[in-house]
Amino acid sequence: MDLAPVPHGRRTQRAPALPVIDILWLTAGLSCDGDSIAMTAATQPSIEDLLLGMIPGLPEVRLHHPVLAYKTGKDFLQVFEQAAEGRLEPFILVVEGSVPNEKNKLDGCWAGFGTDRTTGQPIPTCDWIDRLAPHAWAVVAAGTCAAYGGIHAMVGNPTGCMGLPDYLGWKWQSKAGIPIVCVPGCPVQPDNFMETLLYLLRHAAGTAPAIPLDAQLRPAWLFAQTVHEGCDRAGYYEQADFASEYGARQCIVKLGCWGPVVQCNVGKRGWMTGIGGCANVGGVCIGCTMPGFPDKFMPFLNEPPGAKLSTTAVVTYGRTVRALRGFTRASLNKEPDWRTQ
Ligand code: SF4
Ligand code: SF4
Ligand code: SF4
């Protein structure tokens, strides 16, 4: 079938015969495999639902993941070789981990995947990306490292590593005309990743338009809001009620929370099956979804510079409103006078 992209906002006819789509997942960037682990906790949909064909109208999905595969060694690598030679289409390439700069040293490689049968040497991850990306129907960066470099790309690191858009180019498009899709997070929020994959599969099936991405190549609907806008503690912020120690229920901005300026839906979505979500459960937001992470958010656990100004600005309003609400609440906690007369 034709897997050409559909302009955003238009729907296509359901494909008469759905394709089989292979997902080739490279964990061999500079990575901790955290995004793979996170993905196994997804429920909307779960990876099992996708692989077992439990969701109607989707192509059959075959996942090739080094951590989850039964196959090992050259048997496992075979499908990657086929794809790199253009003999496996269509497939989605998922990259986890940042992409090192293999040109900044004389020998060796920073990251590799599999072994070259002729030389017996590791095959650099960059070589795989160079060979696979031109044949991929879509390329997805899983986690902040793959999207923007992340922790491994901190200033002073020797690998010169970067995210996929910096490596392939921010205007890069797959052969189907789909830009790199970045799903950041350290690790990625499980359902954010699976929902993005589901969207791409629906697009492949011809039942969804092209995926809407923002300027940082993130799925626009998932990253439009700040943590603050969906935080359970936002009411405390509005009333200028700030925690001075962990374990308190108030807003933790003075303990280092960057939520007001960080685009992430974890406050609303939670972490697993709707439960958790950093600031909601008492952990300051350290901005792990953002392209500037981690350098621009350090030192962690210090009050963000902008927070001093903004919290000072809300103090007068917040304390006044809190006091007035206290009076109103005291009144509302009593039955109307006429009931006791
Ligand atoms: Fe690990 Fe975080 Fe990088 Fe994912 S984004 S590979 S979880 S360090
Ligand atoms: Fe905003 Fe963070 Fe306070 Fe939540 S804890 S209300 S995200 S500043
Ligand atoms: Fe990362 Fe902040 Fe979102 Fe937590 S709330 S996942 S620290 S961006």
Side-chain angles (χ1 to χ4, degrees):
M1 70 167 278
D2 179 15
L3 290 177
V6 184
H8 178 46
R10 275 178 41 207
R11 286 190 169 268
T12 50
Q13 295 286 316
R14 180 178 290 254
L18 295 172
V20 176
I21 290 199
D22 291 271
I23 297 177
L24 274 56
W25 190 305
L26 271 181
T27 56
L30 297 172
S31 152
C32 71
D33 288 357
D35 306 294
S36 295
I37 304 299
M39 181 258 298
T40 62
T43 55
Q44 297 176 330
S46 71
I47 187 70
E48 293 90 342
D49 287 345
L50 216 56
L51 297 180
L52 294 173
M54 305 296 281
I55 305 170
L58 292 186
E60 182 185 335
V61 175
R62 295 186 298 218
L63 176 66
H64 308 276
H65 190 298
V67 180
L68 302 174
Y70 287 108
K71 290 182 182 172
T72 57
K74 61 180 184 335
D75 291 339
F76 175 70
L77 279 184
Q78 196 175 24
V79 71
F80 285 80
E81 289 288 359
Q82 281 175 357
E85 290 163 11
R87 294 186 288 117
L88 183 90
E89 294 188 20
F91 71 90
I92 295 174
L93 174 64
V94 178
V95 177
E96 178 174 353
S98 41
V99 187
N101 177 5
E102 296 294 2
K103 297 184 180 143
N104 67 357
K105 57 189 166 6
L106 293 177
D107 55 17
C109 66
W110 294 115
F113 175 60
T115 305
D116 186 303
R117 285 182 212 171
T118 320
T119 64
Q121 295 298 310
I123 304 170
T125 302
C126 290
D127 288 5
W128 282 110
I129 295 172
D130 294 345
R131 293 174 64 205
L132 290 169
H135 297 292
W137 180 77
V139 172
V140 182
T144 301
C145 289
Y148 311 120
I151 285 177
H152 309 100
M154 281 179 71
V155 64
N157 87 84
T159 67
C161 64
M162 64 200 91
L164 265 184
D166 284 334
Y167 184 74
L168 292 174
W170 281 79
K171 294 192 183 306
W172 185 92
Q173 292 193 337
S174 73
K175 61 188 296 184
I178 302 172
I180 300 166
V181 179
C182 292
V183 197
C186 186
V188 66
Q189 201 280 352
D191 292 318
N192 279 353
F193 181 81
M194 291 304 295
E195 188 176 311
T196 303
L197 203 52
L198 181 66
Y199 193 107
L200 287 170
L201 292 169
R202 289 235 178 268
H203 179 44
T207 52
I211 188 164
L213 302 175
D214 67 14
Q216 283 70 39
L217 301 176
R218 299 171 287 211
W221 77 96
L222 292 175
F223 290 91
Q225 289 183 295
T226 63
V227 179
H228 191 65
E229 286 162 348
C231 180
D232 286 354
R233 297 173 191 246
Y236 289 103
Y237 184 101
E238 186 236 3
Q239 295 184 166
D241 200 356
F242 305 117
S244 54
E245 58 183 25
Y246 287 103
R249 68 164 70 92
Q250 290 91 350
C251 165
I252 49 180
V253 69
K254 290 190 172 294
L255 301 179
C257 183
W258 282 83
V261 290
V262 168
Q263 289 166 256
C264 171
N265 62 358
V266 157
K268 273 188 181 270
R269 187 159 222 177
W271 203 256
M272 285 193 279
T273 58
I275 298 169
C278 309
N280 289 348
V281 293
V284 296
C285 169
I286 56 173
C288 78
T289 58
M290 300 295 274
F293 176 80
D295 302 70
K296 290 188 177 177
F297 296 88
M298 296 180 75
F300 297 145
L301 311 187
N302 277 12
E303 185 179 3
K308 281 197 187 351
L309 183 64
S310 59
T311 52
T312 305
V314 298
V315 157
T316 309
Y317 160 84
R319 287 189 181 157
T320 307
V321 163
R322 187 164 23 129
L324 291 173
R325 285 173 181 163
F327 294 132
T328 308
R329 189 169 48 160
S331 161
L332 296 173
N333 263 325
K334 292 180 186 149
E335 293 183 37
D337 290 343
W338 62 266
R339 288 191 199 159
T340 51
Q341 281 169 357

